[in-house]
Amino acid sequence: IIRRLGDLLEGNMAELMTLCSREGGKLLTDGVDEIKEAVDFCRYYAMRAEEQFGQPITLPGPTGESNELTLNGKGVFAAISPWNFPVAIFCGQVVAAAVAGNSVLAKPAEQTSIIAHRVIELLYEAGMPRDVVQLLPGDGPTVGSVLSSDPRITGVAFTGSTDTAQVINRALAARENAPLPALVAETGGMNALIVDSTALPEQVVADVVQSAYQSAGQRCSALRVLFLQEEVADRIIEILRGAMQELNVGDPRDLGTDVGPVIDEEARKNLAAHIDKLKAEGRLLAETRLDPAHTGHGTFIAPTAFSIDGIDALESEQFGPILHVVRYRASDIEDVIETINAKGYGLTFGVHSRNESFSQLIAQKIRVGNVYINRNIIGAVVGVQPFGGQGLSGTGPKAGGPHYLLRFATEKTITINTAALGGNATLLALGDE
């Protein structure tokens, strides 16, 4: 069933791309990547389920006894997914919970309910029984709160803000006479990238622009804070300023568009307030020009870059095309790492350096889920770069990784005294070998 869903998603890519663009404001190119990721989730989790759930695991034991370990579903999972990846993350959560043997109540983000409805239609077409997976559209405070407080729910898969994850966690814990639940949460990040003086400036800027501004900065993995060694900071900022002027902001359905709108008016107002505050402090480094002919109608935010004194200046993640730049001295690199770790987030992180030992040292000391060296920090690939964080950025295990399905399962050990049945029959064949 899950493999057939992958085939159906692939076969309906054009329709799903269009829905992502019209309802979620995604670029068409981002839509292609998203459908491919959803297909990868289906095929990867189907493969992992066959390997991990297909046959009992035989365990060692004394002669006259057999021991087996089986994996089974926990019960009913609520899958609460975000609007920024309305096909891939929605699909990944639902498929993982179902293929591990659970019934699923799928609650998509209210901003992208039409896309979710179409995915569920394809899931039913693939053969999924309707009493196994049900779609529950609606807003978070109404539908999400009911799900997380219902004692029949045995687990929740959630992707969204850290604050909302903590609300869900408290609601699950407060239930009376309810099973102890599993919470699989992937939340926000204060994602940073450190650039030292050996890095290639042109490569740095290309990766920074992708990491900070692709998808209008509306990715959990998007770059929020860029640390530049002071010897190369001016040069990199100069190149970044030029690159940002080349970005085209406008209709996501136009193939010439580089940055589309943010998800809704509420998001636009919150981001604009942050931008106005930093502009008032005289911290603006660069800003992409908006063409009113293309951005006069819609929730557009111009890509911006600001200078700040340190990551401590940020109280919360700004989920949009806003980059914060910090200059640092080479002698202060240990302090830089400590301040990043002290924020408590740990999702993605990047290093740009041609000094391999420096990159490896930073990668070892930073407390995050995904570290990228000399490349952008977005676009994790299923089965290749399992995605997920730690601390305030999530519970783990990583989506698209070998341990993810286990979080949706219970384990059962079956021990049989084979001697009580007349001994272990397999021993009779030993003399024939």
Side-chain angles (χ1 to χ4, degrees), residues 6 8-18 20 28-41 85-88 115 119:
L8 287 169
L9 291 171
E10 209 167 41
N12 290 271
M13 180 178 290
E15 177 194 3
L16 293 168
M17 282 170 53
T18 304
C20 284
L28 293 177
T29 50
D30 284 346
V32 172
D33 293 340
E34 171 151 8
I35 310 309
K36 287 182 177 179
E37 183 178 2
V39 172
D40 288 345
F41 273 133
F85 283 88
V87 178
I115 301 170
V119 171

Side-chain angles (χ1 to χ4, degrees), residues 243-259:
M244 290 175 63
Q245 293 309 315
E246 297 299 317
L247 294 175
N248 292 316
V249 182
D251 189 334
R253 295 166 293 182
D254 185 342
L255 290 176
T257 297
D258 299 308
V259 180

Side-chain angles (χ1 to χ4, degrees), residues 4 21 38 65 77 100 120 152 156 182 214 292 347 368 387 427:
R4 282 199 295 271
S21 184
E65 180 179 282
F77 256 81
I120 294 298
R152 294 171 292 181
V156 174
Q214 189 169 329
L347 193 51
V368 299
F387 185 74
L427 296 176

Side-chain angles (χ1 to χ4, degrees), residues 292-309:
H294 296 143
T295 61
H297 301 283
T299 53
F300 294 96
I301 287 288
T304 53
F306 293 97
S307 172
I308 60 174
D309 297 329

Side-chain angles (χ1 to χ4, degrees), residues 30-223:
D30 284 346
V32 172
D33 293 340
E34 171 151 8
I35 310 309
K36 287 182 177 179
E37 183 178 2
V39 172
D40 288 345
F41 273 133
C42 291
R43 293 170 180 168
Y44 181 75
Y45 289 149
M47 177 190 70
R48 296 301 302 176
E50 288 174 340
E51 294 175 356
Q52 296 175 319
F53 293 75
Q55 297 294 330
I57 301 170
T58 301
L59 302 174
T63 300
E65 180 179 282
S66 72
N67 296 281
E68 290 183 341
L69 180 69
T70 62
L71 296 173
N72 307 279
K74 288 179 176 288
V76 181
F77 256 81
I80 303 175
S81 58
W83 48 260
N84 61 331
F85 283 88
V87 178
I89 294 179
F90 177 76
C91 223
Q93 290 179 344
V94 171
V95 164
V99 80
N102 301 282
S103 296
V104 186
L105 297 173
K107 191 274 173 205
E110 57 267 31
Q111 295 93 335
T112 51
S113 296
I114 297 175
I115 301 170
H117 180 264
R118 184 62 182 129
V119 171
I120 294 298
E121 282 185 337
L122 294 174
L123 182 59
Y124 292 154
E125 185 180 336
M128 181 66 71
R130 289 177 178 265
D131 55 358
V132 174
V133 177
Q134 286 287 321
L135 180 68
L136 292 180
D139 63 38
T142 303
V143 178
S145 61
V146 171
L147 288 174
S148 59
S149 61
D150 193 303
R152 294 171 292 181
I153 295 293
T154 55
V156 174
F158 170 78
T159 300
S161 72
T162 302
D163 290 343
T164 303
Q166 290 171 335
V167 169
I168 292 172
N169 194 30
R170 288 192 292 268
L172 290 170
R175 301 177 305 167
E176 297 288 343
N177 299 317
L180 295 176
L183 174 59
V184 187
E186 191 268 284
T187 54
M190 203 75 77
N191 308 313
L193 189 153
I194 291 177
V195 179
D196 78 355
S197 59
T198 70
L200 296 171
E202 292 80 6
Q203 182 186 356
V204 168
V205 170
D207 290 338
V208 165
V209 169
Q210 277 190 321
S211 301
Y213 303 128
Q214 189 169 329
S215 306
Q218 298 174 120
R219 291 175 178 242
C220 303
S221 56
L223 176 61

